[in-house]
Amino acid sequence: MKNNIKSENKHISLEEMQKQSDFIAKVSTVNAQKEAVPRAFVETYGCQQNESDSEKIKGMLLDMGYEMCSDTGSADLVLYNTCAVRENAELRVFGNLGALKHQKRRKPDMLIGVCGCMMQQEHIADTIKSKYKHVDMVFGTHALYRFPQILSEAMENQRVFDIEDESGSIFENISVQRDKPPLAKVPIMYGCNNFCTYCIVPYVRGRERSRNAEDILNECRAVADAGYKEIMLLGQNVNSYSNDLSDGLKFHELLREVCRIDGIERVRFMTSHPKDISDELIQTMAEEKKICKQLHLPIQSGSDKVLSDMNRRYTRAQYLEKLAKVRRAMPDIVLTTDIIVGFPTETQNDFNETLSVLKEAEYDMIFSFIYSKRRGTPAEKLPDSLTDEQKHKNFDEMLKVQNEISKRKNDAYVGRTEDVLVEGVSKTNSETLTGRTEGGKVVNFSYLSSGLQADELIGTIQKVKVVQAQTWSLLGEL
Ligand code: 5AD
Ligand code: SF4
């Protein structure tokens, strides 16, 4: 294993982590004296990185003597882990906070906290300070590891605002309360250096910083030992993993190491920036059996002018060439992307180019968003070319075009037998199990005629025959 010397500077000191452990002990002593075990409700908005952060928050809460509950009504502590990428997620948080005001009036001991990306924006923290006085704790992404101290202070009736911008810290050895097996999320790096002109992430999550490979691999080994079968490696731009380390493994080398871990059967990763996809990564994906043949490669727009205005640093042709390379190496690969409709400089012609790139690229699925102005980003100052009404019309048209492509792609699976990692009982039909193909497609399938119990199947990889295709998922039989 190579040494990662530079990165050591970024780690929160052992003394600081010890201080937080002392706060954990302090809070759990207080909680142990309560009549009933206190209950905590944590709600997560946004991306998988936020979900991963929430798993740490829940881990710390359990260490501090809480049990988790699934509604605010029975909670002694409510915490929202927020997302700042688009305005609608922010509005929902404010709505929920407003509703909690009455609940807190009835139950004055209740503690309310808000954390995550939204809180790294000064104007948001200021609004909460002045207008949401029932909120006890506000802390940003960089203060996550200080949650025990923040909670301890809030329990002593202080209002705590911990929103320092310390871009660039890494903390290890925090308890993690994951969802049940088989899927585990493992962050490999934090932050982003790309500064796409529409995006708030570099401002609220700071600069790219990579965890040491040994810490990542130890976490992967631990989740394998705990029975997890699939690992999702997380980062805003996983292809630049270790660029900030003096002597770290490159991303494709890290992937190979993760594949060597016994017990792990599938490895995925999110997200890749198209400009940074390397030939070595494509080759590694093609060669390593455990790496799922699935790639999420956000294109954002099909127009070169808009891509340039977005500071994406690739052209449509360069992007499509990468996609072709990926398909040459892995003809069956499942490809997905992100699209923004209504970026300020996008004209109707530019939008038509996005439609044409969707037809050309033939993604299995897209995640599409109407552009949302973010305060402090370069695109904030750009005047709009299209009306809101036109943007919504374009958005609907794009979905129609893509739905046809997605359905056609899924139709090709009918009759095939796929390896499906069984995740659980379907939410809509208790006689059906749900899981994912290697390509990440959701399959809902019947299993009763096999004579096997759901518990025996969940967490295992099974052969499932696809019998019907829908736009967003497949139906099958074990
Ligand atoms: N408005 C709309 N969508 C955005 N995204 C990021 N910032 C914005 C914004 N300001 C989308 C991009 C990105 C995905 C995670 O969110 O498509 O890839
Ligand atoms: Fe945002 Fe661009 Fe970084 Fe993705 S790569 S997080 S879109 S700035």
Side-chain angles (χ1 to χ4, degrees), residues 175-193:
S175 299
V176 182
Q177 175 63 27
R178 296 176 203 280
D179 290 340
K180 274 197 227 141
L183 315 178
K185 295 180 273 289
V186 176
I188 65 169
M189 59 194 298
Y190 306 96
C192 183
N193 290 354

Side-chain angles (χ1 to χ4, degrees), residues 151-403:
L151 179 55
S152 170
E153 289 169 2
M155 284 168 89
E156 288 166 1
N157 293 324
Q158 299 176 43
R159 226 181 154 207
V160 192
F161 281 77
D162 190 344
I163 44 175
E164 295 294 300
D165 180 7
E166 327 156 13
S167 290
S169 58
I170 290 189
F171 29 91
E172 298 290 349
N173 303 320
I174 287 183
S175 299
V176 182
Q177 175 63 27
R178 296 176 203 280
D179 290 340
K180 274 197 227 141
L183 315 178
K185 295 180 273 289
V186 176
I188 65 169
M189 59 194 298
Y190 306 96
C192 183
N193 290 354
N194 284 313
F195 291 94
C196 302
T197 55
Y198 50 81
C199 186
I200 195 80
V201 169
Y203 306 91
V204 294
R205 286 210 171 258
R207 292 300 72 71
E208 276 175 11
R209 53 220 186 265
S210 304
R211 292 177 71 192
N212 287 336
E214 204 45 58
D215 291 326
I216 297 167
L217 292 170
N218 282 338
E219 184 171 346
C220 292
R221 289 182 198 112
V223 299
D225 289 345
Y228 290 85
K229 300 284 182 244
E230 178 177 311
I231 286 181
M232 165 84 87
L233 300 175
L234 294 179
Q236 300 298 340
N237 180 15
V238 290
N239 304 110
S240 50
Y241 171 73
S242 89
N243 283 357
D244 57 319
L245 307 179
S246 55
D247 194 15
L249 298 178
K250 291 282 133 213
F251 180 56
H252 67 276
E253 296 172 318
L254 178 73
L255 271 174
R256 286 207 197 264
E257 295 286 333
V258 176
C259 290
R260 298 285 83 76
I261 296 173
D262 289 337
I264 295 304
E265 296 182 40
R266 287 181 170 182
V267 182
R268 297 184 201 278
F269 52 88
M270 273 214 33
T271 299
S272 304
H273 195 299
K275 73 177 166 50
D276 297 320
I277 285 262
S278 65
D279 291 349
E280 289 93 338
L281 175 66
I282 296 173
Q283 191 184 342
T284 305
M285 283 183 80
E287 284 173 8
E288 290 288 348
K289 282 212 161 55
K290 289 186 184 178
I291 302 182
C292 292
K293 302 301 174 267
Q294 174 207 1
L295 188 62
H296 182 63
L297 204 57
I299 185 170
Q300 313 295 2
S301 168
S303 147
D304 279 342
K305 187 198 83 199
V306 173
L307 287 173
S308 164
D309 293 345
M310 287 176 163
N311 189 32
R312 291 293 289 176
R313 286 174 282 170
Y314 52 79
T315 61
R316 172 189 174 119
Q318 285 165 341
Y319 177 97
L320 288 173
E321 175 45 34
K322 296 239 170 160
L323 215 60
K325 222 183 225 175
V326 168
R327 280 199 167 118
R328 277 197 296 275
M330 294 164 279
D332 263 351
I333 193 161
V334 169
L335 291 167
T336 56
T337 200
D338 290 345
I339 303 275
I340 296 178
V341 173
F343 184 79
T345 63
E346 184 184 82
T347 61
Q348 204 55 28
N349 277 343
D350 296 315
F351 171 71
N352 287 335
E353 296 209 30
T354 297
L355 282 187
S356 89
V357 94
L358 292 183
K359 290 175 189 160
E360 199 169 337
E362 297 209 294
Y363 298 104
D364 289 84
M365 197 155 95
I366 66 169
F367 299 87
S368 49
F369 314 97
I370 292 187
Y371 170 74
S372 169
K373 206 181 273 301
R374 304 287 67 209
R375 195 184 290 197
T377 59
E380 184 198 358
K381 302 274 182 290
L382 298 172
D384 271 332
S385 309
L386 299 176
T387 61
D388 277 356
E389 195 191 348
Q390 186 63 45
K391 289 181 184 187
H392 281 90
K393 244 167 97 178
N394 288 348
F395 185 80
D396 292 345
E397 183 179 357
M398 185 182 65
L399 286 190
K400 229 171 86 193
V401 167
Q402 180 57 38
N403 284 352

